[in-house]
Amino acid sequence: MPGTPPTRFVYLGPEGTFAEQALRSVPAAERGTRTPARSVGEALDSVRAGDADAALVPLENSIGGAVGVTLDEMAEGEPLVITREVILPVEFVLGARPGTSLTSIRTVAAHPQASTQCRGWLRDHLPDSVVVDVLSNGAAAAGAGSGEYDAAICAPIGATRHRLAVLADKIADHPDAVTRFALVSRPGPPPPPTGDDLTSLAVYIAHDRVGALLSVLMELAVRGVNLTRIESRPTGEALGRYVFFLDCTGHVADVRLGEALQGLRRVCADVRFLGSYPRHRWAETAGERPVPAPAGLSDVDYADAAAWLARLRTGELT
């Protein structure tokens, strides 16, 4: 992380959620203070105001897609940058007070997204139980712990925090589901390149320019920059006006990505840099590897071409 290592962390609360579990995988956060926030906006504003050094917020889920509120908050207001990503397996458990049997469960507390992701398991194992919508996985675990509900679909950390017995684990219908979180801080020098990095951008294109989006993609493609994600969100200015969120491989310190950023600056109405940071190690376990630069587009190739041009400009033709 840039500058002084962060010690004050905030995350999308409440306690006992996947966000807290993801944050606790960050060594500095495990040693520092961790404060839950009521919303993504509140978490990010705490960082902007200097009340926290970094915030952990969800970016996307492999089942539900992008978290729109996070993208919107990152595109607006004082700039913030991503310094780290955390990818966490979404492993839901069914928790209940000790001594509760599966056959005695009549009410199950769950966040709507959690119950949706566990619909098949609920149908097969608790067909007669009523699922009650609550605001978060943490609230579900708290409700089961207090006796308000017979059981809860929650994160493992929520079951542990509220002393629930785990009656069933890994109950999601998609066992390989993951959520991607971003650790966000105030602008500063990005973490040094590792050779396996991502760069995130918010790109605004001229709405009245034919082929504007194609021009954006070409700036990346001709330099061999691999685009790993693209999302569009309305700007709120008028119907049909969008900001595009891009994730691409590489680091702002890389020559080819640096040239691509210069190109985007020329052809776009605006570009907001959202950070260069290491890819999470989870990508390696999932079988993903960095995409090598095409022939002629590595940093070595760029350096060689720049040196050749410099020789030409001084009269050396070899």
Side-chain angles (χ1 to χ4, degrees):
M1 289 215 169
T4 304
T7 58
R8 301 171 301 159
F9 295 84
V10 64
Y11 63 93
L12 178 61
E15 296 179 339
T17 61
F18 286 109
E20 183 188 7
Q21 188 171 330
L23 180 59
R24 298 194 71 156
S25 71
V26 177
E30 185 66 14
R31 296 189 298 268
T33 61
R34 301 175 300 276
T35 304
R38 291 172 294 183
S39 66
V40 169
E42 182 179 287
L44 297 181
D45 284 343
S46 294
V47 178
R48 290 186 173 109
D51 297 327
D53 300 319
L56 188 100
V57 291
L59 270 183
E60 61 177 320
N61 179 269
S62 59
I63 304 298
V67 180
V69 64
T70 300
L71 298 181
D72 294 342
E73 290 285 346
M74 290 289 291
E76 300 173 0
E78 294 182 28
L80 295 170
V81 292
I82 300 169
T83 58
R84 181 175 183 147
E85 69 169 358
V86 177
I87 298 180
L88 185 75
V90 180
E91 297 181 347
F92 289 108
V93 302
L94 184 75
R97 284 166 295 165
T100 303
S101 65
L102 205 60
T103 56
S104 68
I105 294 174
R106 295 293 176 264
T107 57
V108 180
H111 185 276
Q113 288 186 358
S115 58
T116 297
Q117 293 188 44
C118 301
R119 182 186 294 118
W121 190 93
L122 289 168
R123 181 190 62 239
D124 294 341
H125 296 86
L126 295 174
D128 298 323
S129 298
V130 175
V131 177
V132 182
D133 289 346
V134 294
L135 294 177
S136 69
N137 297 311
S146 68
E148 185 177 359
Y149 309 105
D150 296 331
I153 295 175
C154 60
I157 191 174
T160 300
R161 183 176 299 278
H162 295 282
R163 300 180 179 179
L164 301 179
V166 175
L167 303 186
D169 63 358
K170 299 182 180 180
I171 64 174
D173 298 336
H174 298 275
D176 297 326
V178 297
T179 295
R180 179 182 177 220
F181 295 88
L183 191 65
V184 178
S185 67
R186 292 181 293 280
T194 66
D196 188 12
D197 303 288
L198 291 175
T199 292
S200 295
L201 309 166
V203 173
Y204 297 80
I205 63 175
H207 70 280
D208 56 352
R209 177 180 168 187
V210 175
L213 180 57
L214 177 61
S215 297
V216 169
L217 300 179
M218 286 300 295
E219 292 294 338
L220 302 174
V222 298
R223 295 174 177 88
V225 176
N226 185 41
L227 185 66
T228 62
R229 185 177 68 92
I230 181 170
E231 299 276 350
S232 63
R233 295 286 298 170
T235 63
E237 297 173 353
L239 190 65
R241 298 193 182 183
Y242 295 89
V243 53
F244 292 86
F245 293 88
L246 312 180
D247 284 347
C248 47
T249 57
H251 192 281
V252 66
D254 297 341
V255 178
R256 60 180 172 140
L257 184 56
E259 284 201 2
L261 292 177
Q262 292 181 66
L264 293 177
R265 176 73 175 178
R266 292 194 301 268
V267 303
C268 295
D270 193 17
V271 178
R272 175 171 281 202
F273 176 72
L274 300 180
S276 288
Y277 48 92
R279 279 163 54 112
H280 190 272
R281 287 176 300 174
W282 173 263
E284 295 181 5
T285 64
E288 298 181 16
R289 294 291 185 274
V291 177
L297 293 175
S298 70
D299 273 8
V300 172
D301 295 323
Y302 270 94
D304 178 71
W308 174 75
L309 178 61
R311 292 196 300 271
L312 296 183
R313 286 172 171 170
T314 59
E316 299 179 41
L317 301 182
T318 57

